[in-house]
Amino acid sequence: MSNASSTENLAAPSGTFSIGGDLPVVRLGYGTMQLPGEGVWGPPRDHDAAIAVLRRAVEIGVTFFDTADSYGPETAEALLKEALHPYADDVVVATKAGLTRQGPGIWTPVGNPAYLRQQCELSLRRLGLESIDLFQLHRIDPAVPLEDQVGELLELRDEGKIRHIGLSEVSVEQLEMASALAPIATVQNLFNLAKRDAEPLLEHCEAHGIGFIPWFPLATGELSAADGVLGEAAREHDATPSQLALAWLLRRSPVMLPIPGTSSVEHLDSNTAAAGIELSDEEYDALTALGG
């Protein structure tokens, strides 16, 4: 019995959300951006540790994995396949295309339709999939008409190569324009307790049943000072400020799908345990006021 808790479903208390109305995921997911080397470039510092983190995530109930062809590039997708293929029935893999890499920390948008199609085909091969559950346009390329970029993803969807279409780093206006061209199931924008510029986009997603994937969800900035509201609440729950930041995100909206990333099993367990933290109304309001 001693290791009964080692496979405890830590993620389940975060609840579920159906991407596109028909693809259920546990709301607290896992993002693979921290698995490649420094600058999201090259292989992981510790290959075996990266594989262990991915397998552990499934063990503790994570079903939603977010990756991208540009992480490495190609590294994170290959690690996912190595660790988890053949995928469990409830595992949902989301990937992205549209950012090219010229070196560590360098990201350049390319939205040429032929390129997006090529990257979809390569991701299918690297991930070992016949269809990608959620394929996201990593950035809208300003040099290519939006209808050409979204139109290509719609064609790929119609061909069965992708199931749902997502966007990343968009405005409400861009989302509305894209939604007029094709069903958009999710958006992924920078959003966390300390930075909430995407609040209008989140409200739009809520109103239309669109999943909102906040990247960089753990950022708390100066809010995590031990003598602040966040620090006090963390002590009250015997939790870390990062856990409270995730608990706040999960409480903030039913369409919120946080994907904290880490290359450490210990941090993975800690992050995922945030699903079980229930903030009181007073605590939630106090945390919300921090970034107001």
PDB file of all heavy atoms in Angstrom, residues 17 41 46 53-55 57 74 97 110 112 119 122 148 167 181 188 190 192 202 204 217 220 246 285:
ATOM      1  N   PHE A  17     -13.117  19.680 -19.861  1.00  0.00           N
ATOM      2  CA  PHE A  17     -13.641  20.609 -20.872  1.00  0.00           C
ATOM      3  C   PHE A  17     -13.635  19.856 -22.193  1.00  0.00           C
ATOM      4  O   PHE A  17     -12.712  19.095 -22.477  1.00  0.00           O
ATOM      5  CB  PHE A  17     -12.754  21.859 -20.969  1.00  0.00           C
ATOM      6  CG  PHE A  17     -13.163  22.798 -22.088  1.00  0.00           C
ATOM      7  CD1 PHE A  17     -14.216  23.681 -21.912  1.00  0.00           C
ATOM      8  CD2 PHE A  17     -12.501  22.782 -23.317  1.00  0.00           C
ATOM      9  CE1 PHE A  17     -14.611  24.539 -22.932  1.00  0.00           C
ATOM     10  CE2 PHE A  17     -12.882  23.641 -24.341  1.00  0.00           C
ATOM     11  CZ  PHE A  17     -13.941  24.522 -24.140  1.00  0.00           C
ATOM     12  N   TRP A  41      15.864  24.899 -27.726  1.00  0.00           N
ATOM     13  CA  TRP A  41      16.692  24.528 -28.875  1.00  0.00           C
ATOM     14  C   TRP A  41      17.470  23.261 -28.544  1.00  0.00           C
ATOM     15  O   TRP A  41      18.126  23.175 -27.501  1.00  0.00           O
ATOM     16  CB  TRP A  41      17.664  25.671 -29.192  1.00  0.00           C
ATOM     17  CG  TRP A  41      18.469  25.482 -30.436  1.00  0.00           C
ATOM     18  CD1 TRP A  41      19.761  25.045 -30.522  1.00  0.00           C
ATOM     19  CD2 TRP A  41      18.027  25.703 -31.783  1.00  0.00           C
ATOM     20  NE1 TRP A  41      20.163  24.986 -31.841  1.00  0.00           N
ATOM     21  CE2 TRP A  41      19.115  25.394 -32.643  1.00  0.00           C
ATOM     22  CE3 TRP A  41      16.843  26.132 -32.358  1.00  0.00           C
ATOM     23  CZ2 TRP A  41      19.046  25.491 -34.018  1.00  0.00           C
ATOM     24  CZ3 TRP A  41      16.759  26.237 -33.739  1.00  0.00           C
ATOM     25  CH2 TRP A  41      17.851  25.930 -34.553  1.00  0.00           C
ATOM     26  N   ASP A  46      18.512  16.269 -20.035  1.00  0.00           N
ATOM     27  CA  ASP A  46      18.474  14.902 -19.512  1.00  0.00           C
ATOM     28  C   ASP A  46      17.326  14.171 -20.214  1.00  0.00           C
ATOM     29  O   ASP A  46      16.160  14.335 -19.863  1.00  0.00           O
ATOM     30  CB  ASP A  46      18.258  14.938 -17.999  1.00  0.00           C
ATOM     31  CG  ASP A  46      18.307  13.546 -17.359  1.00  0.00           C
ATOM     32  OD1 ASP A  46      17.992  12.561 -18.061  1.00  0.00           O
ATOM     33  OD2 ASP A  46      18.629  13.460 -16.156  1.00  0.00           O
ATOM     34  N   VAL A  53       9.079  12.464 -17.066  1.00  0.00           N
ATOM     35  CA  VAL A  53       8.079  13.488 -16.788  1.00  0.00           C
ATOM     36  C   VAL A  53       6.806  13.230 -17.597  1.00  0.00           C
ATOM     37  O   VAL A  53       5.686  13.300 -17.070  1.00  0.00           O
ATOM     38  CB  VAL A  53       8.636  14.900 -17.085  1.00  0.00           C
ATOM     39  CG1 VAL A  53       7.528  15.939 -17.147  1.00  0.00           C
ATOM     40  CG2 VAL A  53       9.653  15.297 -16.022  1.00  0.00           C
ATOM     41  N   LEU A  54       6.962  12.932 -18.873  1.00  0.00           N
ATOM     42  CA  LEU A  54       5.798  12.693 -19.729  1.00  0.00           C
ATOM     43  C   LEU A  54       5.009  11.464 -19.262  1.00  0.00           C
ATOM     44  O   LEU A  54       3.770  11.492 -19.208  1.00  0.00           O
ATOM     45  CB  LEU A  54       6.244  12.522 -21.182  1.00  0.00           C
ATOM     46  CG  LEU A  54       6.786  13.793 -21.846  1.00  0.00           C
ATOM     47  CD1 LEU A  54       7.504  13.467 -23.144  1.00  0.00           C
ATOM     48  CD2 LEU A  54       5.660  14.791 -22.095  1.00  0.00           C
ATOM     49  N   ARG A  55       5.713  10.419 -18.916  1.00  0.00           N
ATOM     50  CA  ARG A  55       5.016   9.199 -18.458  1.00  0.00           C
ATOM     51  C   ARG A  55       4.357   9.437 -17.102  1.00  0.00           C
ATOM     52  O   ARG A  55       3.259   8.934 -16.839  1.00  0.00           O
ATOM     53  CB  ARG A  55       5.999   8.030 -18.413  1.00  0.00           C
ATOM     54  CG  ARG A  55       6.413   7.609 -19.828  1.00  0.00           C
ATOM     55  CD  ARG A  55       7.390   6.456 -19.838  1.00  0.00           C
ATOM     56  NE  ARG A  55       7.652   6.051 -21.222  1.00  0.00           N
ATOM     57  CZ  ARG A  55       8.707   5.353 -21.613  1.00  0.00           C
ATOM     58  NH1 ARG A  55       9.607   4.968 -20.718  1.00  0.00           N
ATOM     59  NH2 ARG A  55       8.861   5.023 -22.876  1.00  0.00           N
ATOM     60  N   ALA A  57       3.159  12.235 -16.063  1.00  0.00           N
ATOM     61  CA  ALA A  57       1.980  13.083 -16.277  1.00  0.00           C
ATOM     62  C   ALA A  57       0.746  12.227 -16.540  1.00  0.00           C
ATOM     63  O   ALA A  57      -0.337  12.470 -15.981  1.00  0.00           O
ATOM     64  CB  ALA A  57       2.220  14.055 -17.428  1.00  0.00           C
ATOM     65  N   GLU A  74      11.345  20.128 -33.412  1.00  0.00           N
ATOM     66  CA  GLU A  74      11.030  18.699 -33.586  1.00  0.00           C
ATOM     67  C   GLU A  74      11.258  17.861 -32.334  1.00  0.00           C
ATOM     68  O   GLU A  74      10.704  16.771 -32.202  1.00  0.00           O
ATOM     69  CB  GLU A  74      11.819  18.081 -34.762  1.00  0.00           C
ATOM     70  CG  GLU A  74      11.633  18.822 -36.076  1.00  0.00           C
ATOM     71  CD  GLU A  74      12.456  18.212 -37.211  1.00  0.00           C
ATOM     72  OE1 GLU A  74      13.082  17.167 -36.988  1.00  0.00           O
ATOM     73  OE2 GLU A  74      12.465  18.803 -38.307  1.00  0.00           O
ATOM     74  N   ALA A  97       1.958  24.730 -35.675  1.00  0.00           N
ATOM     75  CA  ALA A  97       2.884  25.035 -36.766  1.00  0.00           C
ATOM     76  C   ALA A  97       2.727  26.509 -37.110  1.00  0.00           C
ATOM     77  O   ALA A  97       1.691  27.105 -36.837  1.00  0.00           O
ATOM     78  CB  ALA A  97       2.599  24.177 -37.989  1.00  0.00           C
ATOM     79  N   VAL A 110       5.940  31.859 -40.274  1.00  0.00           N
ATOM     80  CA  VAL A 110       5.772  31.513 -41.686  1.00  0.00           C
ATOM     81  C   VAL A 110       4.397  30.861 -41.821  1.00  0.00           C
ATOM     82  O   VAL A 110       4.172  29.779 -41.286  1.00  0.00           O
ATOM     83  CB  VAL A 110       6.868  30.556 -42.201  1.00  0.00           C
ATOM     84  CG1 VAL A 110       6.551  30.104 -43.627  1.00  0.00           C
ATOM     85  CG2 VAL A 110       8.239  31.223 -42.156  1.00  0.00           C
ATOM     86  N   ASN A 112       2.787  30.408 -44.903  1.00  0.00           N
ATOM     87  CA  ASN A 112       2.524  29.948 -46.268  1.00  0.00           C
ATOM     88  C   ASN A 112       1.743  28.633 -46.220  1.00  0.00           C
ATOM     89  O   ASN A 112       2.136  27.699 -45.519  1.00  0.00           O
ATOM     90  CB  ASN A 112       3.874  29.747 -46.973  1.00  0.00           C
ATOM     91  CG  ASN A 112       3.720  29.260 -48.388  1.00  0.00           C
ATOM     92  OD1 ASN A 112       3.388  28.103 -48.600  1.00  0.00           O
ATOM     93  ND2 ASN A 112       3.947  30.129 -49.352  1.00  0.00           N
ATOM     94  N   GLN A 119       4.224  20.943 -42.515  1.00  0.00           N
ATOM     95  CA  GLN A 119       4.480  20.766 -41.087  1.00  0.00           C
ATOM     96  C   GLN A 119       3.447  19.857 -40.445  1.00  0.00           C
ATOM     97  O   GLN A 119       3.763  19.094 -39.535  1.00  0.00           O
ATOM     98  CB  GLN A 119       4.547  22.122 -40.381  1.00  0.00           C
ATOM     99  CG  GLN A 119       5.720  22.993 -40.837  1.00  0.00           C
ATOM    100  CD  GLN A 119       7.041  22.247 -40.785  1.00  0.00           C
ATOM    101  OE1 GLN A 119       7.571  21.792 -41.799  1.00  0.00           O
ATOM    102  NE2 GLN A 119       7.579  22.089 -39.584  1.00  0.00           N
ATOM    103  N   LEU A 122       4.533  16.361 -41.318  1.00  0.00           N
ATOM    104  CA  LEU A 122       5.704  15.962 -40.536  1.00  0.00           C
ATOM    105  C   LEU A 122       5.341  15.705 -39.075  1.00  0.00           C
ATOM    106  O   LEU A 122       5.864  14.777 -38.449  1.00  0.00           O
ATOM    107  CB  LEU A 122       6.797  17.032 -40.638  1.00  0.00           C
ATOM    108  CG  LEU A 122       7.450  17.173 -42.017  1.00  0.00           C
ATOM    109  CD1 LEU A 122       8.371  18.381 -42.067  1.00  0.00           C
ATOM    110  CD2 LEU A 122       8.205  15.901 -42.393  1.00  0.00           C
ATOM    111  N   ASP A 148      -5.939  32.499 -46.188  1.00  0.00           N
ATOM    112  CA  ASP A 148      -5.099  31.443 -46.770  1.00  0.00           C
ATOM    113  C   ASP A 148      -4.559  30.512 -45.684  1.00  0.00           C
ATOM    114  O   ASP A 148      -4.473  29.295 -45.877  1.00  0.00           O
ATOM    115  CB  ASP A 148      -3.925  32.052 -47.546  1.00  0.00           C
ATOM    116  CG  ASP A 148      -4.381  32.779 -48.808  1.00  0.00           C
ATOM    117  OD1 ASP A 148      -5.583  32.687 -49.130  1.00  0.00           O
ATOM    118  OD2 ASP A 148      -3.537  33.419 -49.459  1.00  0.00           O
ATOM    119  N   LEU A 167      -5.859  28.615 -32.541  1.00  0.00           N
ATOM    120  CA  LEU A 167      -5.025  29.774 -32.857  1.00  0.00           C
ATOM    121  C   LEU A 167      -4.180  30.126 -31.638  1.00  0.00           C
ATOM    122  O   LEU A 167      -4.518  29.762 -30.516  1.00  0.00           O
ATOM    123  CB  LEU A 167      -5.889  30.978 -33.243  1.00  0.00           C
ATOM    124  CG  LEU A 167      -6.845  30.814 -34.429  1.00  0.00           C
ATOM    125  CD1 LEU A 167      -7.704  32.069 -34.583  1.00  0.00           C
ATOM    126  CD2 LEU A 167      -6.065  30.545 -35.712  1.00  0.00           C
ATOM    127  N   LEU A 181     -14.256  31.918 -41.011  1.00  0.00           N
ATOM    128  CA  LEU A 181     -13.692  31.065 -42.061  1.00  0.00           C
ATOM    129  C   LEU A 181     -13.771  29.581 -41.707  1.00  0.00           C
ATOM    130  O   LEU A 181     -13.911  28.733 -42.581  1.00  0.00           O
ATOM    131  CB  LEU A 181     -12.228  31.436 -42.296  1.00  0.00           C
ATOM    132  CG  LEU A 181     -11.931  32.880 -42.720  1.00  0.00           C
ATOM    133  CD1 LEU A 181     -10.439  33.182 -42.583  1.00  0.00           C
ATOM    134  CD2 LEU A 181     -12.387  33.116 -44.157  1.00  0.00           C
ATOM    135  N   GLN A 188      -4.685  30.132 -27.697  1.00  0.00           N
ATOM    136  CA  GLN A 188      -3.599  30.052 -26.716  1.00  0.00           C
ATOM    137  C   GLN A 188      -2.893  31.403 -26.671  1.00  0.00           C
ATOM    138  O   GLN A 188      -2.243  31.808 -27.627  1.00  0.00           O
ATOM    139  CB  GLN A 188      -2.623  28.927 -27.093  1.00  0.00           C
ATOM    140  CG  GLN A 188      -1.523  28.757 -26.092  1.00  0.00           C
ATOM    141  CD  GLN A 188      -0.762  27.453 -26.218  1.00  0.00           C
ATOM    142  OE1 GLN A 188       0.322  27.322 -25.656  1.00  0.00           O
ATOM    143  NE2 GLN A 188      -1.318  26.475 -26.922  1.00  0.00           N
ATOM    144  N   LEU A 190      -0.849  34.457 -23.956  1.00  0.00           N
ATOM    145  CA  LEU A 190      -0.198  34.733 -22.675  1.00  0.00           C
ATOM    146  C   LEU A 190      -1.246  35.236 -21.690  1.00  0.00           C
ATOM    147  O   LEU A 190      -1.981  36.194 -21.971  1.00  0.00           O
ATOM    148  CB  LEU A 190       0.893  35.797 -22.871  1.00  0.00           C
ATOM    149  CG  LEU A 190       1.598  36.287 -21.608  1.00  0.00           C
ATOM    150  CD1 LEU A 190       2.338  35.151 -20.918  1.00  0.00           C
ATOM    151  CD2 LEU A 190       2.563  37.423 -21.940  1.00  0.00           C
ATOM    152  N   ASN A 192      -1.854  35.100 -17.145  1.00  0.00           N
ATOM    153  CA  ASN A 192      -1.572  34.554 -15.820  1.00  0.00           C
ATOM    154  C   ASN A 192      -2.025  35.558 -14.767  1.00  0.00           C
ATOM    155  O   ASN A 192      -2.546  36.634 -15.103  1.00  0.00           O
ATOM    156  CB  ASN A 192      -0.077  34.203 -15.676  1.00  0.00           C
ATOM    157  CG  ASN A 192       0.830  35.355 -16.048  1.00  0.00           C
ATOM    158  OD1 ASN A 192       0.713  36.455 -15.510  1.00  0.00           O
ATOM    159  ND2 ASN A 192       1.742  35.119 -16.993  1.00  0.00           N
ATOM    160  N   LEU A 202     -10.460  36.163 -23.373  1.00  0.00           N
ATOM    161  CA  LEU A 202     -10.979  35.106 -22.506  1.00  0.00           C
ATOM    162  C   LEU A 202     -12.502  35.207 -22.395  1.00  0.00           C
ATOM    163  O   LEU A 202     -13.211  34.194 -22.488  1.00  0.00           O
ATOM    164  CB  LEU A 202     -10.327  35.197 -21.124  1.00  0.00           C
ATOM    165  CG  LEU A 202     -10.898  34.276 -20.045  1.00  0.00           C
ATOM    166  CD1 LEU A 202     -10.790  32.816 -20.445  1.00  0.00           C
ATOM    167  CD2 LEU A 202     -10.177  34.521 -18.713  1.00  0.00           C
ATOM    168  N   HIS A 204     -14.563  36.519 -24.533  1.00  0.00           N
ATOM    169  CA  HIS A 204     -15.129  36.110 -25.825  1.00  0.00           C
ATOM    170  C   HIS A 204     -15.160  34.579 -25.932  1.00  0.00           C
ATOM    171  O   HIS A 204     -16.153  33.999 -26.387  1.00  0.00           O
ATOM    172  CB  HIS A 204     -14.300  36.711 -26.971  1.00  0.00           C
ATOM    173  CG  HIS A 204     -14.796  36.348 -28.332  1.00  0.00           C
ATOM    174  ND1 HIS A 204     -15.682  37.132 -29.031  1.00  0.00           N
ATOM    175  CD2 HIS A 204     -14.547  35.269 -29.131  1.00  0.00           C
ATOM    176  CE1 HIS A 204     -15.962  36.553 -30.200  1.00  0.00           C
ATOM    177  NE2 HIS A 204     -15.274  35.428 -30.280  1.00  0.00           N
ATOM    178  N   PRO A 217       1.555  30.065 -17.526  1.00  0.00           N
ATOM    179  CA  PRO A 217       0.523  30.201 -16.496  1.00  0.00           C
ATOM    180  C   PRO A 217       1.047  30.399 -15.083  1.00  0.00           C
ATOM    181  O   PRO A 217       0.315  30.875 -14.213  1.00  0.00           O
ATOM    182  CB  PRO A 217      -0.234  28.873 -16.593  1.00  0.00           C
ATOM    183  CG  PRO A 217       0.788  27.906 -17.099  1.00  0.00           C
ATOM    184  CD  PRO A 217       1.633  28.701 -18.057  1.00  0.00           C
ATOM    185  N   THR A 220       4.076  34.754 -11.635  1.00  0.00           N
ATOM    186  CA  THR A 220       3.448  35.542 -10.573  1.00  0.00           C
ATOM    187  C   THR A 220       4.210  36.843 -10.333  1.00  0.00           C
ATOM    188  O   THR A 220       3.722  37.724  -9.633  1.00  0.00           O
ATOM    189  CB  THR A 220       3.412  34.740  -9.258  1.00  0.00           C
ATOM    190  OG1 THR A 220       4.731  34.266  -8.952  1.00  0.00           O
ATOM    191  CG2 THR A 220       2.487  33.535  -9.376  1.00  0.00           C
ATOM    192  N   LEU A 246      -2.132  28.633 -10.335  1.00  0.00           N
ATOM    193  CA  LEU A 246      -2.870  27.666 -11.154  1.00  0.00           C
ATOM    194  C   LEU A 246      -4.296  27.488 -10.646  1.00  0.00           C
ATOM    195  O   LEU A 246      -5.242  27.417 -11.430  1.00  0.00           O
ATOM    196  CB  LEU A 246      -2.142  26.317 -11.160  1.00  0.00           C
ATOM    197  CG  LEU A 246      -0.878  26.236 -12.012  1.00  0.00           C
ATOM    198  CD1 LEU A 246      -0.125  24.940 -11.731  1.00  0.00           C
ATOM    199  CD2 LEU A 246      -1.217  26.336 -13.504  1.00  0.00           C
ATOM    200  N   ASP A 285     -11.194  36.457  -4.694  1.00  0.00           N
ATOM    201  CA  ASP A 285     -11.375  37.895  -4.942  1.00  0.00           C
ATOM    202  C   ASP A 285     -10.105  38.676  -4.619  1.00  0.00           C
ATOM    203  O   ASP A 285      -9.730  39.616  -5.338  1.00  0.00           O
ATOM    204  CB  ASP A 285     -12.546  38.435  -4.117  1.00  0.00           C
ATOM    205  CG  ASP A 285     -13.891  37.915  -4.614  1.00  0.00           C
ATOM    206  OD1 ASP A 285     -13.940  37.390  -5.738  1.00  0.00           O
ATOM    207  OD2 ASP A 285     -14.874  38.012  -3.849  1.00  0.00           O
TER     208      ASP A 285
END
